[in-house]
Amino acid sequence: MTVFVSIALASICFTYNGTEECHSALLGKPNSITPVGEFTIDKINVPQRGYGGNVLRFYEDDKAIWAIHRVYLGNPAERRLERLKGKNLKDKFITNGCINVLPEVYDKLVKCCENSDLVIK
């Protein structure tokens, strides 16, 4: 199973129960780039508030973890949920590099795609 993220379209696509689905995603703002390339997704537990207890990590260095996770709502001024549901592509580039999705999309990803390949272009 492979999960595909298009930075140009701010979307994430994967197959769930035999059907290909594509969903809107929030991605890294211009000065905090979402990494491109091929990765493997693995679910890890995180203690930080606002992430629902776990994330799907795809990249890590000595300073940070990049992951797919439920839309972060810890800073209401960012209007992330509104941006995620909106149509304006420019509004989709708000994160510090992670990929934010709706909670129901995240739940599907955990069910179908944990330990899967991830391609970000």
Side-chain angles (χ1 to χ4, degrees), residues 2-13 25 27-28 33-39 58 89 93 97 99 117-121:
T2 302
V3 177
F4 296 94
V5 171
S6 169
I7 292 176
L9 300 175
S11 67
I12 186 167
C13 299
L27 303 162
I33 299 172
T34 299
V36 296
E38 296 181 17
F39 308 92
F58 62 87
L89 186 60
F93 303 97
I99 300 165
D117 294 327
L118 171 67
V119 176
I120 303 174
K121 293 182 180 182

Side-chain angles (χ1 to χ4, degrees), residues 107-118:
D107 291 343
K108 287 180 178 182
L109 283 164
V110 168
K111 289 177 184 173
C112 75
C113 304
E114 183 178 352
N115 300 315
S116 291
D117 294 327
L118 171 67

Side-chain angles (χ1 to χ4, degrees), residues 11-80:
S11 67
I12 186 167
C13 299
F14 55 93
T15 300
Y16 182 76
N17 284 342
T19 303
E20 185 173 345
E21 299 186 7
C22 290
H23 301 275
S24 182
L26 298 182
L27 303 162
K29 46 192 161 184
N31 294 331
S32 178
I33 299 172
T34 299
V36 296
E38 296 181 17
F39 308 92
T40 300
I41 300 167
D42 67 319
K43 186 170 86 170
I44 61 168
N45 293 326
V46 292
Q48 296 89 345
R49 296 178 67 131
Y51 297 97
N54 55 62
V55 299
L56 293 170
R57 171 181 57 188
F58 62 87
Y59 183 73
E60 183 173 1
D61 66 17
D62 59 337
K63 297 179 185 175
I65 293 173
W66 285 262
I68 301 168
H69 58 76
R70 298 165 193 89
V71 61
Y72 179 76
L73 303 175
N75 183 352
E78 290 179 331
R79 304 176 359 266
R80 286 191 185 204

Side-chain angles (χ1 to χ4, degrees), residues 73-100:
L73 303 175
N75 183 352
E78 290 179 331
R79 304 176 359 266
R80 286 191 185 204
L81 187 58
E82 179 183 330
R83 288 170 180 246
L84 184 57
K85 291 181 176 182
K87 300 290 184 197
N88 187 344
L89 186 60
K90 291 180 183 179
D91 283 348
K92 307 291 183 182
F93 303 97
I94 182 71
T95 78
N96 292 320
C98 287
I99 300 165
N100 288 205

